[in-house]
Amino acid sequence: MKYPLDCEENFNNSMLFWLSKFLKFKINSLSNKLLDNPDLLRDINIKLNTTPKNITELDNLAKQIRNIGIIGINTYFNPLKKFYEQIIHYKLYSLKIIDEDLVIEILASITAGLSDASKKNYKIAIVNFFKFLNSQNKDDDGSHVFEIELKNWLGLKASAGQKLPEYMNEEQMKLFLKTLDEFNFKSNSDRNKLAIKIILFTGIRVNEVLRLRLKDISFENELVSLRIHAKGNKYRVVLLDINLINNHLNYLKNIIAQDDFIFIGRNSKPLTQAYISRLIENVLLQAGIRKEKNGAHMLRHSFATLLYKKEKDLLLVQEALGHASLNTSRIYTHFDNDKLKLAAKIAKNLKDDS
């Protein structure tokens, strides 16, 4: 069903109406693999049929959606919430006034100081929102079309090239592991250490760790096989030496059903990515390792960097990390400085010949 673009009595309410429609559209199109409360999802869908009174009420619904396992909703809603909070100050009388220049002006304010990765999330959310409006609005004179593409938004430094990721070198990884083994977690020490070590020793994404169920783990001689539920509802298998995690395997004995998630909290729900990243940040802090980005993804980069450095096999890196494209894996070749050392020797030879 399509609706008039300015469907409420004022601009603010019209924006809230469309944000509610877009939020409902996204929660029913994102993956529901981790959904643990279908009844609550139904109730939220019903509530979204009525325009919330304010952005805070809509924000609370978005948080409930995230808490019941609809992964990725924050990527879309949080930028749009910030956008709404800014655009209402412009005192507009119609959504039809919004154009690309105005959107860029608002983005310049709300994304100041953010990383390029965060800015890309804002771009994705806002472009998707206006595409949704294009497909769903219809007035007496036809649909209004927003030409919001943000191709020339200068907030993204597209010409600067791909930024090299943060990672630990081999000595730092050894120090990190030593500190992790000695770290005194307040609770569930084996659970926390097992999750962190799996990330570091296999390079899998933190959300892939959190999706692991007991049935996804099997043992063969000295190897542990992990069946990973990856991006795009695809699966792959990674292996690790059982001796690397042997001290923490008693934790698995308390998990009863094969379909149970392995890494859960007190509420029997899967741990969050933010929780795992905080654990890792605390260990890094105690180890005295300082990085610009200290979260779980840095461990993935560390594994990939070490793997390429040791094996010089880009296809192996691609397979191990589950990259869809080999080009994504190429970034780890930038850390291979063997050829750069040859260049340094050539320069040294020039000096010796003089």
Side-chain angles (χ1 to χ4, degrees), residues 197-198 201-202 222-224 226 238-242 244-245:
K197 286 185 177 182
I198 287 176
F201 293 140
T202 65
E222 295 295 303
L223 292 177
V224 181
L226 304 177
V238 298
L239 304 174
L240 74 158
D241 190 318
I242 194 171
L244 295 173
I245 59 173

Side-chain angles (χ1 to χ4, degrees), residues 72-85:
I73 196 64
N74 289 347
T75 301
Y76 291 95
F77 182 74
N78 287 347
L80 290 169
K81 174 191 171 188
K82 297 288 186 183
F83 182 79
Y84 171 84
E85 291 170 343

Side-chain angles (χ1 to χ4, degrees), residues 59-302:
D59 187 29
N60 289 334
L61 289 175
K63 289 176 180 176
Q64 290 180 46
I65 294 164
R66 175 63 184 83
N67 289 338
I68 62 176
I70 304 296
I71 305 299
I73 196 64
N74 289 347
T75 301
Y76 291 95
F77 182 74
N78 287 347
L80 290 169
K81 174 191 171 188
K82 297 288 186 183
F83 182 79
Y84 171 84
E85 291 170 343
Q86 286 294 318
I87 200 170
I88 60 175
H89 292 290
Y90 284 75
K91 308 295 183 183
L92 304 179
Y93 63 86
S94 170
L95 273 71
K96 296 177 182 179
I97 300 174
I98 301 174
D99 59 14
E100 180 138 331
D101 289 340
L102 176 58
V103 173
I104 290 175
E105 180 179 323
I106 293 173
L107 281 172
S109 172
I110 63 179
T111 65
L114 297 182
S115 67
D116 277 1
S118 296
K119 289 177 180 179
K120 286 178 182 177
N121 285 342
Y122 273 73
K123 177 179 178 179
I124 291 169
I126 288 174
V127 169
N128 271 266
F129 174 67
F130 283 104
K131 283 184 177 179
F132 175 76
L133 262 63
N134 287 343
S135 66
Q136 297 299 315
N137 84 88
K138 186 173 179 62
D139 290 310
D140 293 338
D141 55 350
S143 299
H144 179 80
V145 177
F146 293 94
E147 296 180 353
I148 310 294
E149 297 182 349
L150 301 179
K151 290 183 178 179
N152 299 316
W153 177 33
L154 298 180
L156 289 172
K157 303 171 185 175
S159 60
Q162 191 173 20
K163 186 178 179 181
L164 297 181
E166 290 284 348
Y167 73 102
M168 291 185 289
N169 61 34
E170 192 169 354
E171 290 305 312
Q172 289 173 326
M173 291 172 73
K174 291 177 181 178
L175 175 58
F176 176 83
L177 284 168
K178 182 177 183 296
T179 307
L180 176 62
D181 284 333
E182 298 171 352
F183 198 88
N184 184 26
F185 289 107
K186 293 181 180 179
S187 62
N188 285 299
S189 184
D190 279 333
R191 179 198 66 186
N192 297 341
K193 292 179 181 181
L194 180 61
I196 294 171
K197 286 185 177 182
I198 287 176
I199 296 172
L200 184 62
F201 293 140
T202 65
I204 66 176
R205 301 173 180 89
V206 63
N207 67 309
E208 292 172 346
V209 172
L210 300 180
R211 287 187 181 189
L212 284 173
R213 302 174 188 266
L214 192 60
K215 65 182 180 181
D216 296 322
I217 298 182
S218 59
F219 300 89
E220 184 177 347
N221 297 325
E222 295 295 303
L223 292 177
V224 181
S225 173
L226 304 177
R227 183 171 179 263
I228 306 302
H229 183 192
K231 285 184 175 181
N233 285 328
K234 297 178 181 178
Y235 289 89
R236 73 182 192 280
V237 173
V238 298
L239 304 174
L240 74 158
D241 190 318
I242 194 171
N243 296 300
L244 295 173
I245 59 173
N246 207 33
N247 293 339
H248 314 299
L249 291 180
N250 281 335
Y251 169 72
L252 299 180
K253 294 179 180 179
N254 296 322
I255 301 172
I256 301 173
Q258 288 288 308
D259 281 329
D260 284 351
F261 288 109
I262 294 173
F263 299 109
I264 58 174
R266 295 177 181 175
N267 56 5
S268 297
K269 293 182 179 180
L271 301 177
T272 65
Q273 296 185 37
Y275 178 80
I276 297 294
S277 287
R278 282 197 301 272
L279 296 179
I280 293 170
E281 288 173 4
N282 291 335
V283 177
L284 287 166
L285 183 64
Q286 184 162 310
I289 300 173
R290 300 289 185 269
K291 298 292 178 181
E292 183 180 346
K293 294 184 178 181
N294 291 332
H297 214 65
M298 193 267 288
L299 269 59
R300 174 173 164 87
H301 291 316
S302 300

